Amino acid sequence: MKLLEIIGIVIIMFGIILIYDARYLSKKRFSFSDQNIATLTLKIVGFILSVIGGFLIMIS
């Protein structure tokens, strides 16, 4: 495996973890009124990270 593929796989892994644990992470870090916005933001960031990791794997 090339280094770019390994980095892509790790980025995808972090993205999936952010999507899966977004509600749990936002409950721990933010107040009640900010939880929904924080959850949405974490899921969007996780999705973007997964897409970036997928592109890294595709170009390598």
Side-chain angles (χ1 to χ4, degrees):
M1 290 184 122
K2 296 179 184 175
L3 182 64
L4 220 58
E5 289 177 356
I6 294 172
I7 292 172
I9 291 170
V10 170
I11 290 174
I12 290 174
M13 182 186 67
F14 283 129
I16 291 172
I17 289 171
L18 272 180
I19 292 170
Y20 183 75
D21 290 339
R23 180 69 61 183
Y24 175 73
L25 293 172
S26 65
K27 281 183 183 179
K28 282 178 49 177
R29 305 277 183 209
F30 300 101
S31 66
F32 182 73
S33 63
D34 296 332
Q35 283 181 4
N36 288 334
I37 296 169
T39 301
L40 179 64
T41 305
L42 287 173
K43 286 185 178 190
I44 290 171
V45 169
F47 176 74
I48 292 170
L49 282 177
S50 297
V51 170
I52 291 171
F55 281 136
L56 282 176
I57 291 174
M58 282 178 39
I59 64 172
S60 62

mmCIF file of all heavy atoms in Angstrom, residues 5-23:
data_model
loop_
_atom_site.group_PDB
_atom_site.id
_atom_site.type_symbol
_atom_site.label_atom_id
_atom_site.label_comp_id
_atom_site.label_asym_id
_atom_site.label_seq_id
_atom_site.Cartn_x
_atom_site.Cartn_y
_atom_site.Cartn_z
ATOM 1 N N GLU A 5 -2.704 5.974 0.300
ATOM 2 C CA GLU A 5 -3.835 5.093 0.576
ATOM 3 C C GLU A 5 -4.041 4.915 2.074
ATOM 4 O O GLU A 5 -5.175 4.915 2.549
ATOM 5 C CB GLU A 5 -3.622 3.738 -0.085
ATOM 6 C CG GLU A 5 -3.729 3.769 -1.580
ATOM 7 C CD GLU A 5 -3.444 2.419 -2.206
ATOM 8 O OE1 GLU A 5 -3.080 1.474 -1.476
ATOM 9 O OE2 GLU A 5 -3.586 2.316 -3.426
ATOM 10 N N ILE A 6 -2.958 4.767 2.813
ATOM 11 C CA ILE A 6 -3.056 4.614 4.263
ATOM 12 C C ILE A 6 -3.630 5.876 4.899
ATOM 13 O O ILE A 6 -4.501 5.813 5.770
ATOM 14 C CB ILE A 6 -1.684 4.251 4.862
ATOM 15 C CG1 ILE A 6 -1.255 2.879 4.370
ATOM 16 C CG2 ILE A 6 -1.730 4.287 6.381
ATOM 17 C CD1 ILE A 6 0.152 2.500 4.725
ATOM 18 N N ILE A 7 -3.161 7.029 4.450
ATOM 19 C CA ILE A 7 -3.686 8.299 4.968
ATOM 20 C C ILE A 7 -5.170 8.424 4.627
ATOM 21 O O ILE A 7 -5.971 8.864 5.459
ATOM 22 C CB ILE A 7 -2.867 9.479 4.412
ATOM 23 C CG1 ILE A 7 -1.452 9.446 4.988
ATOM 24 C CG2 ILE A 7 -3.535 10.810 4.732
ATOM 25 C CD1 ILE A 7 -0.508 10.443 4.358
ATOM 26 N N GLY A 8 -5.555 8.039 3.417
ATOM 27 C CA GLY A 8 -6.962 8.076 3.021
ATOM 28 C C GLY A 8 -7.839 7.189 3.885
ATOM 29 O O GLY A 8 -8.940 7.572 4.277
ATOM 30 N N ILE A 9 -7.349 5.991 4.183
ATOM 31 C CA ILE A 9 -8.113 5.069 5.029
ATOM 32 C C ILE A 9 -8.286 5.631 6.436
ATOM 33 O O ILE A 9 -9.369 5.545 7.029
ATOM 34 C CB ILE A 9 -7.425 3.685 5.062
ATOM 35 C CG1 ILE A 9 -7.557 3.022 3.696
ATOM 36 C CG2 ILE A 9 -8.012 2.796 6.146
ATOM 37 C CD1 ILE A 9 -6.727 1.770 3.535
ATOM 38 N N VAL A 10 -7.245 6.245 6.985
ATOM 39 C CA VAL A 10 -7.330 6.830 8.324
ATOM 40 C C VAL A 10 -8.310 8.009 8.330
ATOM 41 O O VAL A 10 -9.110 8.158 9.265
ATOM 42 C CB VAL A 10 -5.925 7.256 8.815
ATOM 43 C CG1 VAL A 10 -6.008 8.081 10.080
ATOM 44 C CG2 VAL A 10 -5.045 6.032 9.027
ATOM 45 N N ILE A 11 -8.283 8.826 7.293
ATOM 46 C CA ILE A 11 -9.209 9.965 7.219
ATOM 47 C C ILE A 11 -10.651 9.469 7.106
ATOM 48 O O ILE A 11 -11.553 10.013 7.753
ATOM 49 C CB ILE A 11 -8.833 10.885 6.040
ATOM 50 C CG1 ILE A 11 -7.522 11.608 6.345
ATOM 51 C CG2 ILE A 11 -9.928 11.903 5.769
ATOM 52 C CD1 ILE A 11 -6.983 12.435 5.206
ATOM 53 N N ILE A 12 -10.882 8.440 6.313
ATOM 54 C CA ILE A 12 -12.224 7.857 6.217
ATOM 55 C C ILE A 12 -12.664 7.322 7.571
ATOM 56 O O ILE A 12 -13.819 7.502 7.978
ATOM 57 C CB ILE A 12 -12.278 6.757 5.147
ATOM 58 C CG1 ILE A 12 -12.166 7.362 3.758
ATOM 59 C CG2 ILE A 12 -13.556 5.941 5.253
ATOM 60 C CD1 ILE A 12 -12.063 6.335 2.659
ATOM 61 N N MET A 13 -11.759 6.671 8.286
ATOM 62 C CA MET A 13 -12.088 6.133 9.599
ATOM 63 C C MET A 13 -12.517 7.233 10.564
ATOM 64 O O MET A 13 -13.523 7.106 11.266
ATOM 65 C CB MET A 13 -10.890 5.371 10.162
ATOM 66 C CG MET A 13 -11.151 4.741 11.512
ATOM 67 S SD MET A 13 -9.687 4.005 12.231
ATOM 68 C CE MET A 13 -8.693 5.445 12.537
ATOM 69 N N PHE A 14 -11.773 8.348 10.592
ATOM 70 C CA PHE A 14 -12.149 9.452 11.459
ATOM 71 C C PHE A 14 -13.482 10.065 11.045
ATOM 72 O O PHE A 14 -14.288 10.460 11.893
ATOM 73 C CB PHE A 14 -11.066 10.529 11.487
ATOM 74 C CG PHE A 14 -9.887 10.186 12.344
ATOM 75 C CD1 PHE A 14 -8.605 10.289 11.843
ATOM 76 C CD2 PHE A 14 -10.047 9.750 13.636
ATOM 77 C CE1 PHE A 14 -7.506 9.978 12.617
ATOM 78 C CE2 PHE A 14 -8.966 9.423 14.432
ATOM 79 C CZ PHE A 14 -7.689 9.544 13.919
ATOM 80 N N GLY A 15 -13.736 10.142 9.758
ATOM 81 C CA GLY A 15 -15.010 10.660 9.279
ATOM 82 C C GLY A 15 -16.185 9.806 9.710
ATOM 83 O O GLY A 15 -17.217 10.321 10.157
ATOM 84 N N ILE A 16 -16.035 8.497 9.615
ATOM 85 C CA ILE A 16 -17.107 7.587 10.018
ATOM 86 C C ILE A 16 -17.330 7.649 11.521
ATOM 87 O O ILE A 16 -18.471 7.627 11.993
ATOM 88 C CB ILE A 16 -16.794 6.153 9.549
ATOM 89 C CG1 ILE A 16 -16.893 6.094 8.033
ATOM 90 C CG2 ILE A 16 -17.740 5.147 10.185
ATOM 91 C CD1 ILE A 16 -16.425 4.797 7.439
ATOM 92 N N ILE A 17 -16.258 7.757 12.283
ATOM 93 C CA ILE A 17 -16.399 7.882 13.733
ATOM 94 C C ILE A 17 -17.129 9.168 14.088
ATOM 95 O O ILE A 17 -17.992 9.183 14.977
ATOM 96 C CB ILE A 17 -15.019 7.803 14.413
ATOM 97 C CG1 ILE A 17 -14.476 6.383 14.332
ATOM 98 C CG2 ILE A 17 -15.100 8.253 15.873
ATOM 99 C CD1 ILE A 17 -13.045 6.240 14.776
ATOM 100 N N LEU A 18 -16.818 10.263 13.403
ATOM 101 C CA LEU A 18 -17.528 11.523 13.658
ATOM 102 C C LEU A 18 -19.007 11.409 13.335
ATOM 103 O O LEU A 18 -19.854 11.912 14.074
ATOM 104 C CB LEU A 18 -16.913 12.657 12.848
ATOM 105 C CG LEU A 18 -15.749 13.403 13.481
ATOM 106 C CD1 LEU A 18 -15.260 14.492 12.534
ATOM 107 C CD2 LEU A 18 -16.144 14.014 14.796
ATOM 108 N N ILE A 19 -19.342 10.753 12.229
ATOM 109 C CA ILE A 19 -20.748 10.599 11.864
ATOM 110 C C ILE A 19 -21.472 9.739 12.892
ATOM 111 O O ILE A 19 -22.572 10.069 13.343
ATOM 112 C CB ILE A 19 -20.877 9.988 10.451
ATOM 113 C CG1 ILE A 19 -20.371 10.979 9.407
ATOM 114 C CG2 ILE A 19 -22.317 9.594 10.161
ATOM 115 C CD1 ILE A 19 -20.243 10.380 8.023
ATOM 116 N N TYR A 20 -20.868 8.639 13.269
ATOM 117 C CA TYR A 20 -21.516 7.686 14.174
ATOM 118 C C TYR A 20 -21.673 8.253 15.588
ATOM 119 O O TYR A 20 -22.703 8.075 16.222
ATOM 120 C CB TYR A 20 -20.715 6.385 14.204
ATOM 121 C CG TYR A 20 -21.343 5.322 15.060
ATOM 122 C CD1 TYR A 20 -22.461 4.635 14.616
ATOM 123 C CD2 TYR A 20 -20.828 5.011 16.307
ATOM 124 C CE1 TYR A 20 -23.053 3.655 15.396
ATOM 125 C CE2 TYR A 20 -21.409 4.043 17.096
ATOM 126 C CZ TYR A 20 -22.518 3.370 16.645
ATOM 127 O OH TYR A 20 -23.098 2.418 17.417
ATOM 128 N N ASP A 21 -20.660 8.920 16.104
ATOM 129 C CA ASP A 21 -20.661 9.397 17.484
ATOM 130 C C ASP A 21 -20.989 10.876 17.625
ATOM 131 O O ASP A 21 -20.703 11.469 18.655
ATOM 132 C CB ASP A 21 -19.293 9.142 18.119
ATOM 133 C CG ASP A 21 -19.028 7.675 18.360
ATOM 134 O OD1 ASP A 21 -19.997 6.897 18.413
ATOM 135 O OD2 ASP A 21 -17.847 7.306 18.501
ATOM 136 N N ALA A 22 -21.597 11.481 16.628
ATOM 137 C CA ALA A 22 -21.849 12.924 16.667
ATOM 138 C C ALA A 22 -22.744 13.311 17.844
ATOM 139 O O ALA A 22 -22.466 14.293 18.543
ATOM 140 C CB ALA A 22 -22.470 13.380 15.357
ATOM 141 N N ARG A 23 -23.805 12.578 18.074
ATOM 142 C CA ARG A 23 -24.726 12.918 19.167
ATOM 143 C C ARG A 23 -24.032 12.763 20.523
ATOM 144 O O ARG A 23 -24.155 13.613 21.394
ATOM 145 C CB ARG A 23 -25.965 12.033 19.080
ATOM 146 C CG ARG A 23 -26.995 12.263 20.130
ATOM 147 C CD ARG A 23 -27.703 13.571 20.021
ATOM 148 N NE ARG A 23 -28.429 13.709 18.774
ATOM 149 C CZ ARG A 23 -29.077 14.803 18.439
ATOM 150 N NH1 ARG A 23 -29.095 15.838 19.240
ATOM 151 N NH2 ARG A 23 -29.690 14.887 17.289
#
